[in-house]
Amino acid sequence: MQGDGGEPGVSRGEQVQAAEREAAKRRLLAEAEADRIPAEETTRAIPDRRWRRGQP
C-alpha cells in the first residue's frame, strides 16, 4: 500500500482517522463561528441610571 500517494509508513486506517479528525475540527470551528457573539454586542454600554436615584 505504500507508494499510493500517502506518506510512507502511514496505514490507510491512520489516513482515514486523520481525515476524520480534520473534518471534525472544521465542523467544530464552523459551529463555534456560528455561535460567536460579535465583540460590538458584548462591549456595548448599557445605561446604568441607579446613580441618579437620589437626584430630582
Side-chain angles (χ1 to χ4, degrees):
M1 273 206 199
Q2 292 180 358
D4 61 11
E7 296 180 26
V10 178
S11 72
R12 179 72 178 137
E14 290 172 332
Q15 290 175 351
V16 169
Q17 286 181 348
E20 288 175 351
R21 278 194 303 272
E22 185 63 28
K25 185 168 119 178
R26 288 184 183 155
R27 281 193 306 272
L28 285 171
L29 288 172
E31 184 178 333
E33 181 63 24
D35 291 343
R36 185 178 69 85
I37 298 172
E40 300 83 41
E41 292 183 18
T42 60
T43 58
R44 186 180 325 148
I46 298 173
D48 186 2
R49 302 186 194 281
R50 288 180 291 181
W51 63 273
R52 294 188 188 179
R53 286 184 184 157
Q55 298 176 355

